[in-house]
Amino acid sequence: MSRTWTWLRLAAGVLAVGVGILAFAWPQATLRVVAFLFGLNLLIAGGIRILQMFVADGLPALHRVAGILLGLLVAGAGIVCLADVTRSLSLMLLIVAIGWLFDGIGEIFLSLGRRSAGGGWRIVVGLFAVLGALALLIWPGLGLAGFVLVGATTLVFGGICLIAASIAGLRQPEPAVDRG
C-alpha cells in the first residue's frame, strides 16, 4: 500500500472528525449548514476514494473499478446535497444515508482479504458508516436534531478509526524497491 494512499486516508479521517465535532458544537445549526457540511464530507470522501484507487499498489482491476464506481456514487450524493441545500430534511437524510451506505460497503469489501496494516480499523470504519446509514434509513423521522446526533457520532467515530488505520499504515515500513 502506498504512502500516498495512507496520507489520503488520514486526511479523510481528520476531515470526518472535524465535521463531526462541528456538528456536535453547533447543534442549533440550520438545515442549510448541516446539509452543506455533510454534503461536503460526502463529496470529499468520494473524491478521496477515487484518488485511492489510482494510487493503490497491487489492487486487482475489479477492485479499482468497484472503488471508483463507489467513489463516484458517494461524491454524487455529496453533490446532490450541495446543489440544493434547502430540500426537505427527509430527502437529505436519504441522500446522506445512501452515500454512507455505499462508502461503508466499499470500505468493507476493499479491506477484506487484504493483509495490510490497519485493515481491521478500515473494516470498523465501514461498519460505522453502514450502521449510521441504516439508522437514518430505519428511522427517517429522526428530525434534524436526531440526524445531527447520529451523523456527528458516525463521522467522529468513523474518522477516529480512519486515523488509527492510517497511523498503523504509516508505522509499517515501506517495502524496498528493487532498482535491478
Side-chain angles (χ1 to χ4, degrees), residues 128-164:
F128 270 116
V130 168
L131 290 175
L134 290 176
L136 293 178
L137 291 171
I138 291 171
W139 298 293
L142 281 174
L144 183 57
F147 170 66
V148 170
L149 179 64
V150 170
T153 302
T154 300
L155 287 175
V156 168
F157 285 113
I160 289 169
C161 292
L162 274 174
I163 292 168

PDB file of all heavy atoms in Angstrom, residues 128-164:
ATOM      1  N   PHE A 128     -19.166   1.386  10.848  1.00  0.00           N
ATOM      2  CA  PHE A 128     -19.753   2.616  11.389  1.00  0.00           C
ATOM      3  C   PHE A 128     -20.585   3.324  10.329  1.00  0.00           C
ATOM      4  O   PHE A 128     -21.686   3.796  10.599  1.00  0.00           O
ATOM      5  CB  PHE A 128     -18.675   3.571  11.910  1.00  0.00           C
ATOM      6  CG  PHE A 128     -18.335   3.370  13.356  1.00  0.00           C
ATOM      7  CD1 PHE A 128     -17.071   2.955  13.722  1.00  0.00           C
ATOM      8  CD2 PHE A 128     -19.272   3.591  14.351  1.00  0.00           C
ATOM      9  CE1 PHE A 128     -16.736   2.763  15.045  1.00  0.00           C
ATOM     10  CE2 PHE A 128     -18.956   3.405  15.683  1.00  0.00           C
ATOM     11  CZ  PHE A 128     -17.681   2.984  16.026  1.00  0.00           C
ATOM     12  N   ALA A 129     -20.046   3.422   9.116  1.00  0.00           N
ATOM     13  CA  ALA A 129     -20.776   4.105   8.047  1.00  0.00           C
ATOM     14  C   ALA A 129     -22.066   3.371   7.712  1.00  0.00           C
ATOM     15  O   ALA A 129     -23.124   3.992   7.549  1.00  0.00           O
ATOM     16  CB  ALA A 129     -19.896   4.232   6.803  1.00  0.00           C
ATOM     17  N   VAL A 130     -22.000   2.037   7.626  1.00  0.00           N
ATOM     18  CA  VAL A 130     -23.202   1.253   7.309  1.00  0.00           C
ATOM     19  C   VAL A 130     -24.223   1.366   8.438  1.00  0.00           C
ATOM     20  O   VAL A 130     -25.419   1.557   8.184  1.00  0.00           O
ATOM     21  CB  VAL A 130     -22.832  -0.227   7.029  1.00  0.00           C
ATOM     22  CG1 VAL A 130     -24.067  -1.107   6.985  1.00  0.00           C
ATOM     23  CG2 VAL A 130     -22.063  -0.335   5.715  1.00  0.00           C
ATOM     24  N   LEU A 131     -23.776   1.271   9.696  1.00  0.00           N
ATOM     25  CA  LEU A 131     -24.709   1.381  10.822  1.00  0.00           C
ATOM     26  C   LEU A 131     -25.336   2.776  10.891  1.00  0.00           C
ATOM     27  O   LEU A 131     -26.539   2.902  11.153  1.00  0.00           O
ATOM     28  CB  LEU A 131     -23.997   1.048  12.131  1.00  0.00           C
ATOM     29  CG  LEU A 131     -23.611  -0.420  12.317  1.00  0.00           C
ATOM     30  CD1 LEU A 131     -22.801  -0.605  13.594  1.00  0.00           C
ATOM     31  CD2 LEU A 131     -24.842  -1.310  12.321  1.00  0.00           C
ATOM     32  N   GLY A 132     -24.545   3.824  10.648  1.00  0.00           N
ATOM     33  CA  GLY A 132     -25.102   5.177  10.621  1.00  0.00           C
ATOM     34  C   GLY A 132     -26.141   5.319   9.516  1.00  0.00           C
ATOM     35  O   GLY A 132     -27.199   5.912   9.713  1.00  0.00           O
ATOM     36  N   ALA A 133     -25.828   4.747   8.342  1.00  0.00           N
ATOM     37  CA  ALA A 133     -26.770   4.797   7.211  1.00  0.00           C
ATOM     38  C   ALA A 133     -28.050   4.042   7.542  1.00  0.00           C
ATOM     39  O   ALA A 133     -29.154   4.532   7.272  1.00  0.00           O
ATOM     40  CB  ALA A 133     -26.123   4.206   5.960  1.00  0.00           C
ATOM     41  N   LEU A 134     -27.907   2.868   8.128  1.00  0.00           N
ATOM     42  CA  LEU A 134     -29.090   2.077   8.478  1.00  0.00           C
ATOM     43  C   LEU A 134     -29.954   2.796   9.510  1.00  0.00           C
ATOM     44  O   LEU A 134     -31.177   2.760   9.434  1.00  0.00           O
ATOM     45  CB  LEU A 134     -28.683   0.691   8.968  1.00  0.00           C
ATOM     46  CG  LEU A 134     -28.104  -0.238   7.906  1.00  0.00           C
ATOM     47  CD1 LEU A 134     -27.645  -1.557   8.533  1.00  0.00           C
ATOM     48  CD2 LEU A 134     -29.098  -0.496   6.786  1.00  0.00           C
ATOM     49  N   ALA A 135     -29.302   3.461  10.476  1.00  0.00           N
ATOM     50  CA  ALA A 135     -30.069   4.212  11.481  1.00  0.00           C
ATOM     51  C   ALA A 135     -30.902   5.299  10.802  1.00  0.00           C
ATOM     52  O   ALA A 135     -32.074   5.485  11.129  1.00  0.00           O
ATOM     53  CB  ALA A 135     -29.129   4.831  12.516  1.00  0.00           C
ATOM     54  N   LEU A 136     -30.302   5.994   9.835  1.00  0.00           N
ATOM     55  CA  LEU A 136     -31.047   7.045   9.139  1.00  0.00           C
ATOM     56  C   LEU A 136     -32.141   6.472   8.250  1.00  0.00           C
ATOM     57  O   LEU A 136     -33.200   7.072   8.105  1.00  0.00           O
ATOM     58  CB  LEU A 136     -30.093   7.897   8.300  1.00  0.00           C
ATOM     59  CG  LEU A 136     -29.090   8.742   9.071  1.00  0.00           C
ATOM     60  CD1 LEU A 136     -28.171   9.495   8.111  1.00  0.00           C
ATOM     61  CD2 LEU A 136     -29.783   9.711  10.009  1.00  0.00           C
ATOM     62  N   LEU A 137     -31.887   5.304   7.643  1.00  0.00           N
ATOM     63  CA  LEU A 137     -32.892   4.697   6.768  1.00  0.00           C
ATOM     64  C   LEU A 137     -34.033   4.058   7.556  1.00  0.00           C
ATOM     65  O   LEU A 137     -35.181   4.106   7.136  1.00  0.00           O
ATOM     66  CB  LEU A 137     -32.237   3.657   5.856  1.00  0.00           C
ATOM     67  CG  LEU A 137     -31.294   4.213   4.786  1.00  0.00           C
ATOM     68  CD1 LEU A 137     -30.547   3.089   4.098  1.00  0.00           C
ATOM     69  CD2 LEU A 137     -32.047   5.066   3.786  1.00  0.00           C
ATOM     70  N   ILE A 138     -33.715   3.471   8.706  1.00  0.00           N
ATOM     71  CA  ILE A 138     -34.743   2.798   9.518  1.00  0.00           C
ATOM     72  C   ILE A 138     -35.627   3.820  10.236  1.00  0.00           C
ATOM     73  O   ILE A 138     -36.829   3.626  10.353  1.00  0.00           O
ATOM     74  CB  ILE A 138     -34.081   1.826  10.521  1.00  0.00           C
ATOM     75  CG1 ILE A 138     -33.472   0.651   9.761  1.00  0.00           C
ATOM     76  CG2 ILE A 138     -35.088   1.343  11.554  1.00  0.00           C
ATOM     77  CD1 ILE A 138     -32.604  -0.259  10.612  1.00  0.00           C
ATOM     78  N   TRP A 139     -35.019   4.913  10.700  1.00  0.00           N
ATOM     79  CA  TRP A 139     -35.766   5.940  11.426  1.00  0.00           C
ATOM     80  C   TRP A 139     -35.712   7.259  10.670  1.00  0.00           C
ATOM     81  O   TRP A 139     -35.102   8.236  11.117  1.00  0.00           O
ATOM     82  CB  TRP A 139     -35.209   6.134  12.836  1.00  0.00           C
ATOM     83  CG  TRP A 139     -35.310   4.916  13.679  1.00  0.00           C
ATOM     84  CD1 TRP A 139     -36.447   4.336  14.138  1.00  0.00           C
ATOM     85  CD2 TRP A 139     -34.229   4.109  14.152  1.00  0.00           C
ATOM     86  NE1 TRP A 139     -36.143   3.222  14.872  1.00  0.00           N
ATOM     87  CE2 TRP A 139     -34.778   3.057  14.895  1.00  0.00           C
ATOM     88  CE3 TRP A 139     -32.849   4.168  14.019  1.00  0.00           C
ATOM     89  CZ2 TRP A 139     -34.010   2.080  15.499  1.00  0.00           C
ATOM     90  CZ3 TRP A 139     -32.073   3.195  14.626  1.00  0.00           C
ATOM     91  CH2 TRP A 139     -32.656   2.176  15.338  1.00  0.00           C
ATOM     92  N   PRO A 140     -36.401   7.347   9.530  1.00  0.00           N
ATOM     93  CA  PRO A 140     -36.314   8.577   8.738  1.00  0.00           C
ATOM     94  C   PRO A 140     -36.961   9.783   9.428  1.00  0.00           C
ATOM     95  O   PRO A 140     -36.683  10.908   9.067  1.00  0.00           O
ATOM     96  CB  PRO A 140     -37.054   8.225   7.442  1.00  0.00           C
ATOM     97  CG  PRO A 140     -37.959   7.108   7.814  1.00  0.00           C
ATOM     98  CD  PRO A 140     -37.274   6.354   8.916  1.00  0.00           C
ATOM     99  N   GLY A 141     -37.774   9.555  10.418  1.00  0.00           N
ATOM    100  CA  GLY A 141     -38.425  10.650  11.126  1.00  0.00           C
ATOM    101  C   GLY A 141     -37.584  11.204  12.262  1.00  0.00           C
ATOM    102  O   GLY A 141     -38.115  11.852  13.156  1.00  0.00           O
ATOM    103  N   LEU A 142     -36.299  10.962  12.234  1.00  0.00           N
ATOM    104  CA  LEU A 142     -35.423  11.435  13.302  1.00  0.00           C
ATOM    105  C   LEU A 142     -35.485  12.941  13.501  1.00  0.00           C
ATOM    106  O   LEU A 142     -35.353  13.430  14.598  1.00  0.00           O
ATOM    107  CB  LEU A 142     -33.967  11.069  12.988  1.00  0.00           C
ATOM    108  CG  LEU A 142     -33.519   9.648  13.252  1.00  0.00           C
ATOM    109  CD1 LEU A 142     -32.103   9.446  12.741  1.00  0.00           C
ATOM    110  CD2 LEU A 142     -33.592   9.324  14.716  1.00  0.00           C
ATOM    111  N   GLY A 143     -35.659  13.669  12.430  1.00  0.00           N
ATOM    112  CA  GLY A 143     -35.613  15.115  12.509  1.00  0.00           C
ATOM    113  C   GLY A 143     -34.177  15.599  12.510  1.00  0.00           C
ATOM    114  O   GLY A 143     -33.236  14.814  12.538  1.00  0.00           O
ATOM    115  N   LEU A 144     -34.016  16.891  12.460  1.00  0.00           N
ATOM    116  CA  LEU A 144     -32.691  17.480  12.344  1.00  0.00           C
ATOM    117  C   LEU A 144     -31.811  17.165  13.550  1.00  0.00           C
ATOM    118  O   LEU A 144     -30.649  16.817  13.404  1.00  0.00           O
ATOM    119  CB  LEU A 144     -32.799  18.987  12.137  1.00  0.00           C
ATOM    120  CG  LEU A 144     -31.490  19.742  11.934  1.00  0.00           C
ATOM    121  CD1 LEU A 144     -30.730  19.174  10.739  1.00  0.00           C
ATOM    122  CD2 LEU A 144     -31.758  21.214  11.738  1.00  0.00           C
ATOM    123  N   ALA A 145     -32.350  17.264  14.755  1.00  0.00           N
ATOM    124  CA  ALA A 145     -31.543  17.015  15.949  1.00  0.00           C
ATOM    125  C   ALA A 145     -31.042  15.575  15.975  1.00  0.00           C
ATOM    126  O   ALA A 145     -29.870  15.320  16.269  1.00  0.00           O
ATOM    127  CB  ALA A 145     -32.350  17.316  17.210  1.00  0.00           C
ATOM    128  N   GLY A 146     -31.922  14.633  15.666  1.00  0.00           N
ATOM    129  CA  GLY A 146     -31.503  13.226  15.626  1.00  0.00           C
ATOM    130  C   GLY A 146     -30.504  12.963  14.521  1.00  0.00           C
ATOM    131  O   GLY A 146     -29.548  12.211  14.694  1.00  0.00           O
ATOM    132  N   PHE A 147     -30.717  13.595  13.366  1.00  0.00           N
ATOM    133  CA  PHE A 147     -29.788  13.445  12.247  1.00  0.00           C
ATOM    134  C   PHE A 147     -28.406  13.959  12.625  1.00  0.00           C
ATOM    135  O   PHE A 147     -27.393  13.316  12.359  1.00  0.00           O
ATOM    136  CB  PHE A 147     -30.324  14.188  11.031  1.00  0.00           C
ATOM    137  CG  PHE A 147     -29.325  14.300   9.915  1.00  0.00           C
ATOM    138  CD1 PHE A 147     -28.902  13.165   9.243  1.00  0.00           C
ATOM    139  CD2 PHE A 147     -28.814  15.522   9.552  1.00  0.00           C
ATOM    140  CE1 PHE A 147     -27.978  13.258   8.215  1.00  0.00           C
ATOM    141  CE2 PHE A 147     -27.901  15.621   8.521  1.00  0.00           C
ATOM    142  CZ  PHE A 147     -27.479  14.492   7.856  1.00  0.00           C
ATOM    143  N   VAL A 148     -28.360  15.128  13.258  1.00  0.00           N
ATOM    144  CA  VAL A 148     -27.068  15.693  13.658  1.00  0.00           C
ATOM    145  C   VAL A 148     -26.385  14.772  14.662  1.00  0.00           C
ATOM    146  O   VAL A 148     -25.186  14.508  14.554  1.00  0.00           O
ATOM    147  CB  VAL A 148     -27.242  17.119  14.223  1.00  0.00           C
ATOM    148  CG1 VAL A 148     -25.963  17.620  14.855  1.00  0.00           C
ATOM    149  CG2 VAL A 148     -27.695  18.070  13.130  1.00  0.00           C
ATOM    150  N   LEU A 149     -27.131  14.240  15.623  1.00  0.00           N
ATOM    151  CA  LEU A 149     -26.543  13.351  16.624  1.00  0.00           C
ATOM    152  C   LEU A 149     -25.999  12.069  15.983  1.00  0.00           C
ATOM    153  O   LEU A 149     -24.851  11.697  16.198  1.00  0.00           O
ATOM    154  CB  LEU A 149     -27.571  13.005  17.708  1.00  0.00           C
ATOM    155  CG  LEU A 149     -27.068  12.060  18.799  1.00  0.00           C
ATOM    156  CD1 LEU A 149     -25.954  12.725  19.593  1.00  0.00           C
ATOM    157  CD2 LEU A 149     -28.197  11.648  19.705  1.00  0.00           C
ATOM    158  N   VAL A 150     -26.822  11.389  15.180  1.00  0.00           N
ATOM    159  CA  VAL A 150     -26.385  10.157  14.519  1.00  0.00           C
ATOM    160  C   VAL A 150     -25.244  10.458  13.549  1.00  0.00           C
ATOM    161  O   VAL A 150     -24.226   9.762  13.514  1.00  0.00           O
ATOM    162  CB  VAL A 150     -27.564   9.469  13.783  1.00  0.00           C
ATOM    163  CG1 VAL A 150     -27.074   8.341  12.894  1.00  0.00           C
ATOM    164  CG2 VAL A 150     -28.577   8.937  14.785  1.00  0.00           C
ATOM    165  N   GLY A 151     -25.412  11.518  12.761  1.00  0.00           N
ATOM    166  CA  GLY A 151     -24.403  11.863  11.767  1.00  0.00           C
ATOM    167  C   GLY A 151     -23.078  12.254  12.384  1.00  0.00           C
ATOM    168  O   GLY A 151     -22.018  11.791  11.957  1.00  0.00           O
ATOM    169  N   ALA A 152     -23.120  13.104  13.387  1.00  0.00           N
ATOM    170  CA  ALA A 152     -21.886  13.546  14.031  1.00  0.00           C
ATOM    171  C   ALA A 152     -21.182  12.383  14.722  1.00  0.00           C
ATOM    172  O   ALA A 152     -19.962  12.264  14.647  1.00  0.00           O
ATOM    173  CB  ALA A 152     -22.188  14.668  15.025  1.00  0.00           C
ATOM    174  N   THR A 153     -21.945  11.531  15.370  1.00  0.00           N
ATOM    175  CA  THR A 153     -21.355  10.358  16.029  1.00  0.00           C
ATOM    176  C   THR A 153     -20.696   9.446  14.998  1.00  0.00           C
ATOM    177  O   THR A 153     -19.566   8.978  15.201  1.00  0.00           O
ATOM    178  CB  THR A 153     -22.441   9.582  16.811  1.00  0.00           C
ATOM    179  OG1 THR A 153     -23.042  10.467  17.760  1.00  0.00           O
ATOM    180  CG2 THR A 153     -21.854   8.388  17.531  1.00  0.00           C
ATOM    181  N   THR A 154     -21.385   9.196  13.896  1.00  0.00           N
ATOM    182  CA  THR A 154     -20.829   8.353  12.835  1.00  0.00           C
ATOM    183  C   THR A 154     -19.547   8.959  12.289  1.00  0.00           C
ATOM    184  O   THR A 154     -18.546   8.260  12.109  1.00  0.00           O
ATOM    185  CB  THR A 154     -21.860   8.174  11.705  1.00  0.00           C
ATOM    186  OG1 THR A 154     -23.026   7.542  12.244  1.00  0.00           O
ATOM    187  CG2 THR A 154     -21.304   7.322  10.575  1.00  0.00           C
ATOM    188  N   LEU A 155     -19.551  10.256  12.030  1.00  0.00           N
ATOM    189  CA  LEU A 155     -18.361  10.902  11.478  1.00  0.00           C
ATOM    190  C   LEU A 155     -17.191  10.890  12.457  1.00  0.00           C
ATOM    191  O   LEU A 155     -16.058  10.599  12.071  1.00  0.00           O
ATOM    192  CB  LEU A 155     -18.680  12.334  11.060  1.00  0.00           C
ATOM    193  CG  LEU A 155     -19.523  12.481   9.801  1.00  0.00           C
ATOM    194  CD1 LEU A 155     -19.874  13.938   9.568  1.00  0.00           C
ATOM    195  CD2 LEU A 155     -18.798  11.918   8.595  1.00  0.00           C
ATOM    196  N   VAL A 156     -17.443  11.191  13.722  1.00  0.00           N
ATOM    197  CA  VAL A 156     -16.350  11.239  14.694  1.00  0.00           C
ATOM    198  C   VAL A 156     -15.739   9.853  14.892  1.00  0.00           C
ATOM    199  O   VAL A 156     -14.518   9.678  14.786  1.00  0.00           O
ATOM    200  CB  VAL A 156     -16.822  11.843  16.041  1.00  0.00           C
ATOM    201  CG1 VAL A 156     -15.779  11.630  17.125  1.00  0.00           C
ATOM    202  CG2 VAL A 156     -17.117  13.328  15.875  1.00  0.00           C
ATOM    203  N   PHE A 157     -16.569   8.846  15.169  1.00  0.00           N
ATOM    204  CA  PHE A 157     -16.007   7.514  15.408  1.00  0.00           C
ATOM    205  C   PHE A 157     -15.417   6.906  14.139  1.00  0.00           C
ATOM    206  O   PHE A 157     -14.363   6.272  14.184  1.00  0.00           O
ATOM    207  CB  PHE A 157     -17.044   6.577  16.033  1.00  0.00           C
ATOM    208  CG  PHE A 157     -17.291   6.870  17.480  1.00  0.00           C
ATOM    209  CD1 PHE A 157     -18.514   7.357  17.903  1.00  0.00           C
ATOM    210  CD2 PHE A 157     -16.299   6.692  18.421  1.00  0.00           C
ATOM    211  CE1 PHE A 157     -18.748   7.647  19.238  1.00  0.00           C
ATOM    212  CE2 PHE A 157     -16.508   6.980  19.756  1.00  0.00           C
ATOM    213  CZ  PHE A 157     -17.736   7.461  20.164  1.00  0.00           C
ATOM    214  N   GLY A 158     -16.070   7.106  13.005  1.00  0.00           N
ATOM    215  CA  GLY A 158     -15.508   6.625  11.746  1.00  0.00           C
ATOM    216  C   GLY A 158     -14.194   7.319  11.431  1.00  0.00           C
ATOM    217  O   GLY A 158     -13.235   6.692  10.980  1.00  0.00           O
ATOM    218  N   GLY A 159     -14.131   8.624  11.676  1.00  0.00           N
ATOM    219  CA  GLY A 159     -12.895   9.375  11.452  1.00  0.00           C
ATOM    220  C   GLY A 159     -11.772   8.922  12.358  1.00  0.00           C
ATOM    221  O   GLY A 159     -10.619   8.804  11.927  1.00  0.00           O
ATOM    222  N   ILE A 160     -12.091   8.649  13.621  1.00  0.00           N
ATOM    223  CA  ILE A 160     -11.075   8.151  14.552  1.00  0.00           C
ATOM    224  C   ILE A 160     -10.519   6.812  14.064  1.00  0.00           C
ATOM    225  O   ILE A 160      -9.308   6.572  14.102  1.00  0.00           O
ATOM    226  CB  ILE A 160     -11.652   8.042  15.983  1.00  0.00           C
ATOM    227  CG1 ILE A 160     -11.860   9.439  16.567  1.00  0.00           C
ATOM    228  CG2 ILE A 160     -10.741   7.202  16.886  1.00  0.00           C
ATOM    229  CD1 ILE A 160     -12.659   9.460  17.866  1.00  0.00           C
ATOM    230  N   CYS A 161     -11.394   5.947  13.567  1.00  0.00           N
ATOM    231  CA  CYS A 161     -10.939   4.654  13.042  1.00  0.00           C
ATOM    232  C   CYS A 161     -10.084   4.843  11.793  1.00  0.00           C
ATOM    233  O   CYS A 161      -9.091   4.133  11.603  1.00  0.00           O
ATOM    234  CB  CYS A 161     -12.129   3.741  12.746  1.00  0.00           C
ATOM    235  SG  CYS A 161     -12.994   3.193  14.220  1.00  0.00           S
ATOM    236  N   LEU A 162     -10.446   5.786  10.926  1.00  0.00           N
ATOM    237  CA  LEU A 162      -9.619   6.083   9.746  1.00  0.00           C
ATOM    238  C   LEU A 162      -8.243   6.585  10.162  1.00  0.00           C
ATOM    239  O   LEU A 162      -7.228   6.197   9.570  1.00  0.00           O
ATOM    240  CB  LEU A 162     -10.291   7.138   8.869  1.00  0.00           C
ATOM    241  CG  LEU A 162     -11.300   6.676   7.843  1.00  0.00           C
ATOM    242  CD1 LEU A 162     -11.958   7.873   7.171  1.00  0.00           C
ATOM    243  CD2 LEU A 162     -10.669   5.786   6.811  1.00  0.00           C
ATOM    244  N   ILE A 163      -8.207   7.441  11.153  1.00  0.00           N
ATOM    245  CA  ILE A 163      -6.929   7.953  11.646  1.00  0.00           C
ATOM    246  C   ILE A 163      -6.093   6.812  12.211  1.00  0.00           C
ATOM    247  O   ILE A 163      -4.895   6.698  11.930  1.00  0.00           O
ATOM    248  CB  ILE A 163      -7.155   9.071  12.686  1.00  0.00           C
ATOM    249  CG1 ILE A 163      -7.749  10.306  11.995  1.00  0.00           C
ATOM    250  CG2 ILE A 163      -5.859   9.411  13.409  1.00  0.00           C
ATOM    251  CD1 ILE A 163      -8.273  11.361  12.956  1.00  0.00           C
ATOM    252  N   ALA A 164      -6.713   5.924  13.003  1.00  0.00           N
ATOM    253  CA  ALA A 164      -5.986   4.778  13.566  1.00  0.00           C
ATOM    254  C   ALA A 164      -5.453   3.864  12.462  1.00  0.00           C
ATOM    255  O   ALA A 164      -4.307   3.401  12.523  1.00  0.00           O
ATOM    256  CB  ALA A 164      -6.890   3.997  14.518  1.00  0.00           C
TER     257      ALA A 164
END
